[in-house]
Amino acid sequence: MLDILDTIRIRAHHLLCMQGFQGYGYSRSFIDNMTQVVKDINSNPDLGVEIIAECDIICSHCPYNKEGVCERMPNSAQKVREMDIHVLRKLGLKEGTKGRVKDILGLVNTKLKNSSDIQDICGDCEWKEKCLWFISRNV
Ligand code: SF4
């Protein structure tokens, strides 16, 4: 359980995933952890967030996280980092930016509205059909 004084580190593309999460994931532990993170964020809008482009609090319970490196697929670490950098560029933010979660998510949802932006970021994601955030922007 996180409180208002905590700052959590979130990789940039997870700012999108968290908003579309419906309880799917890579393992029971991953799902339980992500459920808790989403719950903490929703109940603490003033929670501090640092936006990063490496393994984060969600990756921390992922079976593909090998000592802080994403090994989901060959080149995953690089590909996922590029995805994070892509999101940061679209948001006009730098890696390491800190802010309140409500402001950061507000920025995400203001800047990333049109379907071409969303397809550009999430088009190759295996979870997009199960992601409420993706679905809501591609109707
Ligand atoms: S697949 Fe990679 S980027 Fe996604 S949660 Fe797991 S370790 Fe993190």
Side-chain angles (χ1 to χ4, degrees):
M1 176 73 86
L2 298 161
D3 73 35
I4 201 170
L5 297 175
D6 290 315
T7 294
I8 57 170
R9 302 176 86 229
I10 298 282
R11 63 185 318 157
H13 87 269
H14 281 165
L15 295 169
L16 286 50
C17 310
M18 289 186 317
Q19 296 186 80
F21 181 63
Q22 292 197 84
Y24 298 98
Y26 301 113
S27 68
R28 187 71 253 165
S29 172
F30 176 93
I31 292 166
D32 289 346
N33 177 61
M34 188 152 174
T35 299
Q36 187 62 52
V37 172
V38 170
K39 198 172 156 191
D40 287 340
I41 281 173
N42 288 339
S43 58
N44 293 310
D46 290 323
L47 193 68
V49 172
E50 178 182 0
I51 310 171
I52 60 174
E54 58 193 48
C55 278
D56 66 358
I57 191 169
I58 290 171
C59 302
S60 70
H61 285 62
C62 179
Y64 299 109
N65 175 359
K66 306 296 180 197
E67 298 182 9
V69 177
C70 177
E71 295 188 359
R72 171 94 173 107
M73 289 177 286
N75 295 329
S76 269
Q78 186 189 334
K79 283 184 178 169
V80 184
R81 179 173 165 79
E82 285 169 2
M83 193 180 189
D84 294 325
I85 299 289
H86 199 43
V87 171
L88 280 162
R89 280 208 196 101
K90 283 191 184 285
L91 296 178
L93 299 177
K94 290 184 176 155
E95 191 176 349
T97 296
K98 292 180 182 175
R100 290 183 301 183
V101 71
K102 67 179 177 190
D103 298 330
I104 302 284
L105 294 182
L107 182 71
V108 168
N109 294 331
T110 301
K111 291 257 186 182
L112 303 178
K113 268 189 177 154
N114 69 59
S115 57
S116 67
D117 270 335
I118 313 305
Q119 284 290 347
D120 192 25
I121 297 168
C122 310
D124 293 332
C125 177
E126 67 183 288
W127 298 104
K128 65 184 178 186
E129 306 302 336
K130 298 190 184 307
C131 176
L132 288 177
W133 191 86
F134 178 86
I135 292 166
S136 69
R137 279 158 178 74
N138 281 278
V139 288

mmCIF file of all heavy atoms in Angstrom, residues 1 10 16 26 32 42 44 47 53 60 66 78 87 93 95 99 110 114 121 123-124 127 131 133:
data_model
loop_
_atom_site.group_PDB
_atom_site.id
_atom_site.type_symbol
_atom_site.label_atom_id
_atom_site.label_comp_id
_atom_site.label_asym_id
_atom_site.label_seq_id
_atom_site.Cartn_x
_atom_site.Cartn_y
_atom_site.Cartn_z
ATOM 1 N N MET A 1 0.853 -1.199 0.000
ATOM 2 C CA MET A 1 0.000 0.000 0.000
ATOM 3 C C MET A 1 0.890 1.250 0.000
ATOM 4 O O MET A 1 1.786 1.387 0.805
ATOM 5 C CB MET A 1 -0.904 -0.044 1.233
ATOM 6 C CG MET A 1 -1.764 1.185 1.415
ATOM 7 S SD MET A 1 -3.124 1.303 0.253
ATOM 8 C CE MET A 1 -4.356 0.342 1.094
ATOM 9 N N ILE A 10 7.484 4.806 -12.719
ATOM 10 C CA ILE A 10 6.674 4.144 -13.740
ATOM 11 C C ILE A 10 7.312 4.350 -15.097
ATOM 12 O O ILE A 10 7.641 5.489 -15.475
ATOM 13 C CB ILE A 10 5.241 4.744 -13.778
ATOM 14 C CG1 ILE A 10 4.509 4.531 -12.459
ATOM 15 C CG2 ILE A 10 4.427 4.172 -14.944
ATOM 16 C CD1 ILE A 10 3.957 3.143 -12.239
ATOM 17 N N LEU A 16 0.003 4.291 -19.946
ATOM 18 C CA LEU A 16 -1.141 3.949 -20.795
ATOM 19 C C LEU A 16 -1.738 2.617 -20.326
ATOM 20 O O LEU A 16 -2.955 2.511 -20.112
ATOM 21 C CB LEU A 16 -0.701 3.833 -22.262
ATOM 22 C CG LEU A 16 -0.381 5.100 -23.046
ATOM 23 C CD1 LEU A 16 0.578 6.051 -22.343
ATOM 24 C CD2 LEU A 16 0.178 4.738 -24.417
ATOM 25 N N TYR A 26 0.922 -11.477 -17.126
ATOM 26 C CA TYR A 26 1.849 -12.568 -17.414
ATOM 27 C C TYR A 26 1.873 -13.673 -16.364
ATOM 28 O O TYR A 26 2.359 -14.761 -16.637
ATOM 29 C CB TYR A 26 3.268 -12.005 -17.569
ATOM 30 C CG TYR A 26 3.390 -10.981 -18.673
ATOM 31 C CD1 TYR A 26 3.661 -9.643 -18.381
ATOM 32 C CD2 TYR A 26 3.239 -11.344 -20.006
ATOM 33 C CE1 TYR A 26 3.781 -8.706 -19.390
ATOM 34 C CE2 TYR A 26 3.347 -10.409 -21.016
ATOM 35 C CZ TYR A 26 3.618 -9.089 -20.709
ATOM 36 O OH TYR A 26 3.724 -8.158 -21.708
ATOM 37 N N ASP A 32 -1.614 -9.495 -9.577
ATOM 38 C CA ASP A 32 -1.904 -9.002 -8.227
ATOM 39 C C ASP A 32 -1.163 -7.699 -7.960
ATOM 40 O O ASP A 32 -1.711 -6.751 -7.388
ATOM 41 C CB ASP A 32 -1.504 -10.045 -7.171
ATOM 42 C CG ASP A 32 -2.435 -11.255 -7.186
ATOM 43 O OD1 ASP A 32 -3.511 -11.177 -7.809
ATOM 44 O OD2 ASP A 32 -2.071 -12.284 -6.585
ATOM 45 N N ASN A 42 -5.244 5.117 -8.194
ATOM 46 C CA ASN A 42 -6.612 5.645 -8.256
ATOM 47 C C ASN A 42 -7.059 6.247 -6.928
ATOM 48 O O ASN A 42 -7.860 7.179 -6.902
ATOM 49 C CB ASN A 42 -7.589 4.544 -8.683
ATOM 50 C CG ASN A 42 -7.426 4.192 -10.148
ATOM 51 O OD1 ASN A 42 -6.902 4.979 -10.928
ATOM 52 N ND2 ASN A 42 -7.857 3.000 -10.533
ATOM 53 N N ASN A 44 -4.935 7.600 -4.677
ATOM 54 C CA ASN A 44 -4.014 8.676 -4.252
ATOM 55 C C ASN A 44 -3.649 9.550 -5.446
ATOM 56 O O ASN A 44 -2.534 9.466 -5.965
ATOM 57 C CB ASN A 44 -2.709 8.094 -3.697
ATOM 58 C CG ASN A 44 -2.888 7.352 -2.410
ATOM 59 O OD1 ASN A 44 -3.487 7.847 -1.469
ATOM 60 N ND2 ASN A 44 -2.374 6.145 -2.370
ATOM 61 N N LEU A 47 -0.283 11.234 -5.485
ATOM 62 C CA LEU A 47 0.924 10.391 -5.391
ATOM 63 C C LEU A 47 1.994 10.882 -6.369
ATOM 64 O O LEU A 47 1.692 11.240 -7.506
ATOM 65 C CB LEU A 47 0.524 8.958 -5.764
ATOM 66 C CG LEU A 47 1.501 7.836 -5.458
ATOM 67 C CD1 LEU A 47 1.643 7.629 -3.956
ATOM 68 C CD2 LEU A 47 1.014 6.537 -6.108
ATOM 69 N N ALA A 53 12.346 5.053 -18.242
ATOM 70 C CA ALA A 53 12.359 4.241 -19.458
ATOM 71 C C ALA A 53 13.147 2.958 -19.189
ATOM 72 O O ALA A 53 14.029 2.548 -19.955
ATOM 73 C CB ALA A 53 12.967 5.032 -20.616
ATOM 74 N N SER A 60 8.401 -5.152 -11.652
ATOM 75 C CA SER A 60 9.029 -5.800 -10.494
ATOM 76 C C SER A 60 8.460 -7.185 -10.198
ATOM 77 O O SER A 60 9.132 -8.003 -9.586
ATOM 78 C CB SER A 60 8.910 -4.905 -9.247
ATOM 79 O OG SER A 60 7.561 -4.844 -8.806
ATOM 80 N N LYS A 66 14.388 -10.044 -15.676
ATOM 81 C CA LYS A 66 15.562 -10.771 -15.185
ATOM 82 C C LYS A 66 16.583 -9.766 -14.675
ATOM 83 O O LYS A 66 17.261 -9.100 -15.473
ATOM 84 C CB LYS A 66 16.181 -11.638 -16.288
ATOM 85 C CG LYS A 66 15.193 -12.605 -16.952
ATOM 86 C CD LYS A 66 14.658 -13.655 -15.983
ATOM 87 C CE LYS A 66 13.687 -14.598 -16.688
ATOM 88 N NZ LYS A 66 12.839 -15.357 -15.804
ATOM 89 N N GLN A 78 15.599 -3.275 -25.321
ATOM 90 C CA GLN A 78 15.774 -2.116 -26.200
ATOM 91 C C GLN A 78 14.442 -1.661 -26.795
ATOM 92 O O GLN A 78 14.128 -0.471 -26.821
ATOM 93 C CB GLN A 78 16.751 -2.482 -27.319
ATOM 94 C CG GLN A 78 17.109 -1.297 -28.194
ATOM 95 C CD GLN A 78 17.901 -1.700 -29.425
ATOM 96 O OE1 GLN A 78 18.587 -2.722 -29.417
ATOM 97 N NE2 GLN A 78 17.796 -0.907 -30.476
ATOM 98 N N VAL A 87 6.825 7.463 -26.126
ATOM 99 C CA VAL A 87 5.736 8.054 -25.331
ATOM 100 C C VAL A 87 6.202 9.376 -24.717
ATOM 101 O O VAL A 87 5.492 10.395 -24.779
ATOM 102 C CB VAL A 87 5.260 7.077 -24.228
ATOM 103 C CG1 VAL A 87 4.290 7.763 -23.277
ATOM 104 C CG2 VAL A 87 4.613 5.845 -24.843
ATOM 105 N N LEU A 93 7.984 15.310 -22.621
ATOM 106 C CA LEU A 93 8.659 15.185 -21.324
ATOM 107 C C LEU A 93 10.004 14.500 -21.475
ATOM 108 O O LEU A 93 10.248 13.797 -22.463
ATOM 109 C CB LEU A 93 7.795 14.365 -20.358
ATOM 110 C CG LEU A 93 6.407 14.909 -20.007
ATOM 111 C CD1 LEU A 93 5.677 13.922 -19.107
ATOM 112 C CD2 LEU A 93 6.499 16.284 -19.358
ATOM 113 N N GLU A 95 12.964 11.871 -19.760
ATOM 114 C CA GLU A 95 13.119 10.751 -18.833
ATOM 115 C C GLU A 95 13.499 11.306 -17.457
ATOM 116 O O GLU A 95 14.342 12.193 -17.363
ATOM 117 C CB GLU A 95 14.235 9.845 -19.372
ATOM 118 C CG GLU A 95 14.352 8.525 -18.700
ATOM 119 C CD GLU A 95 15.418 7.651 -19.364
ATOM 120 O OE1 GLU A 95 15.917 7.976 -20.459
ATOM 121 O OE2 GLU A 95 15.758 6.633 -18.760
ATOM 122 N N GLY A 99 6.193 14.226 -11.111
ATOM 123 C CA GLY A 99 4.965 15.011 -10.962
ATOM 124 C C GLY A 99 3.940 14.222 -10.170
ATOM 125 O O GLY A 99 4.204 13.103 -9.732
ATOM 126 N N THR A 110 -4.630 14.086 -22.459
ATOM 127 C CA THR A 110 -4.829 15.281 -23.283
ATOM 128 C C THR A 110 -3.994 15.186 -24.563
ATOM 129 O O THR A 110 -4.467 15.494 -25.650
ATOM 130 C CB THR A 110 -4.388 16.541 -22.496
ATOM 131 O OG1 THR A 110 -5.176 16.610 -21.317
ATOM 132 C CG2 THR A 110 -4.605 17.808 -23.315
ATOM 133 N N ASN A 114 -5.729 11.165 -30.451
ATOM 134 C CA ASN A 114 -6.169 10.697 -31.775
ATOM 135 C C ASN A 114 -5.668 9.288 -32.063
ATOM 136 O O ASN A 114 -4.641 8.846 -31.557
ATOM 137 C CB ASN A 114 -5.807 11.706 -32.880
ATOM 138 C CG ASN A 114 -4.335 11.771 -33.109
ATOM 139 O OD1 ASN A 114 -3.721 10.773 -33.430
ATOM 140 N ND2 ASN A 114 -3.757 12.952 -32.934
ATOM 141 N N ILE A 121 1.848 4.152 -31.082
ATOM 142 C CA ILE A 121 2.481 3.647 -29.849
ATOM 143 C C ILE A 121 2.096 2.182 -29.587
ATOM 144 O O ILE A 121 2.949 1.356 -29.285
ATOM 145 C CB ILE A 121 2.062 4.500 -28.633
ATOM 146 C CG1 ILE A 121 2.545 5.939 -28.797
ATOM 147 C CG2 ILE A 121 2.613 3.899 -27.337
ATOM 148 C CD1 ILE A 121 1.923 6.901 -27.800
ATOM 149 N N GLY A 123 0.169 -0.021 -31.545
ATOM 150 C CA GLY A 123 -0.272 -0.857 -32.666
ATOM 151 C C GLY A 123 0.240 -2.285 -32.630
ATOM 152 O O GLY A 123 -0.461 -3.216 -33.045
ATOM 153 N N ASP A 124 1.454 -2.490 -32.117
ATOM 154 C CA ASP A 124 2.031 -3.842 -32.101
ATOM 155 C C ASP A 124 1.851 -4.546 -30.754
ATOM 156 O O ASP A 124 2.385 -5.646 -30.563
ATOM 157 C CB ASP A 124 3.536 -3.783 -32.411
ATOM 158 C CG ASP A 124 3.785 -3.330 -33.842
ATOM 159 O OD1 ASP A 124 2.909 -3.573 -34.699
ATOM 160 O OD2 ASP A 124 4.853 -2.733 -34.084
ATOM 161 N N TRP A 127 -1.514 -6.881 -26.083
ATOM 162 C CA TRP A 127 -2.614 -6.720 -25.125
ATOM 163 C C TRP A 127 -3.675 -5.737 -25.596
ATOM 164 O O TRP A 127 -4.655 -5.496 -24.883
ATOM 165 C CB TRP A 127 -2.068 -6.240 -23.765
ATOM 166 C CG TRP A 127 -1.127 -7.198 -23.123
ATOM 167 C CD1 TRP A 127 0.240 -7.091 -23.061
ATOM 168 C CD2 TRP A 127 -1.452 -8.438 -22.482
ATOM 169 N NE1 TRP A 127 0.770 -8.173 -22.416
ATOM 170 C CE2 TRP A 127 -0.243 -9.019 -22.046
ATOM 171 C CE3 TRP A 127 -2.656 -9.113 -22.228
ATOM 172 C CZ2 TRP A 127 -0.195 -10.235 -21.370
ATOM 173 C CZ3 TRP A 127 -2.605 -10.324 -21.563
ATOM 174 C CH2 TRP A 127 -1.396 -10.865 -21.150
ATOM 175 N N CYS A 131 -7.194 -3.992 -23.676
ATOM 176 C CA CYS A 131 -6.854 -2.736 -23.005
ATOM 177 C C CYS A 131 -7.970 -1.707 -23.194
ATOM 178 O O CYS A 131 -8.206 -1.227 -24.299
ATOM 179 C CB CYS A 131 -5.540 -2.205 -23.565
ATOM 180 S SG CYS A 131 -5.087 -0.589 -22.887
ATOM 181 N N TRP A 133 -8.061 1.356 -22.321
ATOM 182 C CA TRP A 133 -7.543 2.657 -22.756
ATOM 183 C C TRP A 133 -7.405 2.665 -24.271
ATOM 184 O O TRP A 133 -7.829 3.614 -24.935
ATOM 185 C CB TRP A 133 -6.194 2.938 -22.077
ATOM 186 C CG TRP A 133 -5.717 4.349 -22.259
ATOM 187 C CD1 TRP A 133 -6.045 5.423 -21.492
ATOM 188 C CD2 TRP A 133 -4.840 4.822 -23.277
ATOM 189 N NE1 TRP A 133 -5.425 6.550 -21.984
ATOM 190 C CE2 TRP A 133 -4.680 6.204 -23.067
ATOM 191 C CE3 TRP A 133 -4.171 4.224 -24.339
ATOM 192 C CZ2 TRP A 133 -3.877 7.004 -23.872
ATOM 193 C CZ3 TRP A 133 -3.379 5.010 -25.157
ATOM 194 C CH2 TRP A 133 -3.235 6.377 -24.918
#
